[in-house]
Amino acid sequence: MLIIQPSGGLCNRMRVINSGWRLARELHEELRVFWLCNEELNCPFVSLFQPVNEFLITDIHSVADPRKLFYQRTARTHLGNEEIRAHRLPGGGLDPEYTATFHGNTYIFTWEWFYPAQDYHLFRPTKALQERIDEMTARFGSSCVGVHIRRTDNQPAICGSSTEAFLRSMRRELKDDPNTMFYLATDDLAEEAALRSAFPDRILSNEKRCLRRDSAEGMHDALLDLYCLANTRKIIGSYFSSFTDIAADMRGIPKVIAGGEDAQS
């Protein structure tokens, strides 16, 4: 059996689960996922997504949960961030010679992806959340560009994608298509105010959103933002942000990173 404990925020966890599902199929093993509700993401999987058939998901609220500890302590192979980075191939995926050494249960605790995601069909928002997504995206029209501005705790995004860089990219979109509207997802209300001032009547957003990731309400609003971004025709995103990456990857839409010409990897 392959046991995954994804860590980090919403999009890191989605990437880890997708990677685990891919590895489980390659190893012909069952996949079990322990979803920890904590300050990074304090919301059960079942409160965000519909039930899945491809793997077993267990919501836990403590790292000392006996179900998790049993699998963690009895697994014969353990992988963390360092092991994944050391054995991840340049194009993505774990070295087959390495995975061939796995015997018995394998326990993976990480925020690192270890296989490129081909699709995100494993994740279907709950009916209530999908209704909210549909209501918002119905306002997009045919020329809506997503804008994801990451601030607060992501220093690389703050340094790599300045407000002025977003403004430049958005002005270019309007120059190419004067009918462009923007769906804005940001964790900084001051940024939203600045963009609304710069582009009157062009900004759509979930204006009553909760920004607390340690609450179910905040995570519901984060999921709404993610799926709304994925329903735009293009994303102007933040440097070093998994949220930007996943929103684009989910539907295979193009993305540009604001300030990308200046950001250093």
Side-chain angles (χ1 to χ4, degrees):
M1 178 183 290
L2 185 66
I3 304 101
I4 302 285
Q5 184 188 338
S7 62
L10 175 64
C11 289
N12 283 329
R13 295 189 189 200
M14 291 172 71
R15 290 199 298 194
V16 170
I17 291 174
N18 258 343
S19 296
W21 184 63
R22 171 80 175 272
L23 179 59
R25 285 186 296 163
E26 290 196 1
L27 298 177
H28 305 290
E29 295 282 0
E30 295 181 7
L31 175 62
R32 182 175 191 131
V33 176
F34 285 104
W35 181 276
L36 176 63
C37 298
N38 59 9
E39 66 279 359
E40 294 177 309
L41 196 169
N42 196 10
C43 183
F45 182 93
V46 294
S47 181
L48 294 167
F49 302 107
Q50 296 184 38
V52 292
N53 297 317
E54 291 85 353
F55 56 89
L56 178 64
I57 184 89
T58 303
D59 291 313
I60 59 175
H61 297 269
S62 168
V63 294
D65 186 286
R67 295 165 296 179
K68 182 202 77 111
L69 291 177
F70 171 80
Y71 285 102
Q72 191 171 18
R73 291 171 176 171
T74 59
R76 295 184 61 182
T77 304
H78 294 82
L79 275 71
N81 293 326
E82 292 184 5
E83 290 79 10
I84 288 172
R85 295 189 195 110
H87 296 281
R88 186 168 55 195
L89 299 173
L94 294 177
D95 186 339
E97 293 185 4
Y98 176 60
T99 59
T101 66
F102 296 177
H103 300 290
N105 286 352
T106 297
Y107 196 98
I108 302 178
F109 173 39
T110 185
W111 61 68
E112 294 279 347
W113 64 272
F114 42 101
Y115 283 91
Q118 296 175 321
D119 62 65
Y120 284 82
H121 79 274
L122 298 175
F123 306 98
R124 296 178 299 138
T126 63
K127 182 179 178 180
L129 283 170
Q130 188 61 57
E131 288 175 352
R132 292 180 61 196
I133 294 165
D134 293 342
E135 181 180 359
M136 179 62 74
T137 56
R139 302 165 58 190
F140 283 6
S142 61
S143 189
C144 189
V145 171
V147 178
H148 174 233
I149 303 181
R150 179 71 184 273
R151 293 291 184 256
T152 60
D153 62 345
N154 190 325
Q155 196 60 40
I158 295 170
C159 296
S161 297
S162 67
T163 302
E164 183 54 41
F166 278 101
L167 292 171
R168 289 197 302 268
S169 294
M170 294 168 74
R171 290 186 187 113
R172 283 195 291 267
E173 293 297 329
L174 278 170
K175 182 178 179 180
D176 292 340
D177 183 355
N179 294 317
T180 297
M181 296 291 292
F182 299 102
Y183 180 80
L184 174 63
T186 182
D187 55 1
D188 190 325
L189 297 180
E191 292 284 343
E192 178 165 350
L195 265 61
R196 287 189 178 277
S197 177
F199 304 102
D201 303 320
R202 295 284 179 178
I203 305 298
L204 299 170
S205 71
N206 177 21
E207 296 184 56
K208 296 181 180 180
R209 64 191 178 279
C210 172
L211 297 176
R212 295 187 54 170
R213 288 180 291 176
D214 61 352
S215 71
E217 181 184 2
M219 293 315 306
H220 291 172
D221 286 339
L223 189 73
L224 171 70
D225 273 345
L226 180 67
Y227 278 77
C228 285
L229 287 173
N231 275 278
T232 59
R233 65 173 176 83
K234 180 181 184 178
I235 294 175
I236 302 170
S238 290
Y239 173 67
F240 203 70
S241 170
S242 60
F243 204 91
T244 287
D245 295 339
I246 298 303
D249 291 347
M250 285 172 63
R251 303 285 172 83
I253 59 178
K255 70 178 178 185
V256 295
I257 301 302
E261 65 276 10
D262 302 318
Q264 299 297 315
S265 60

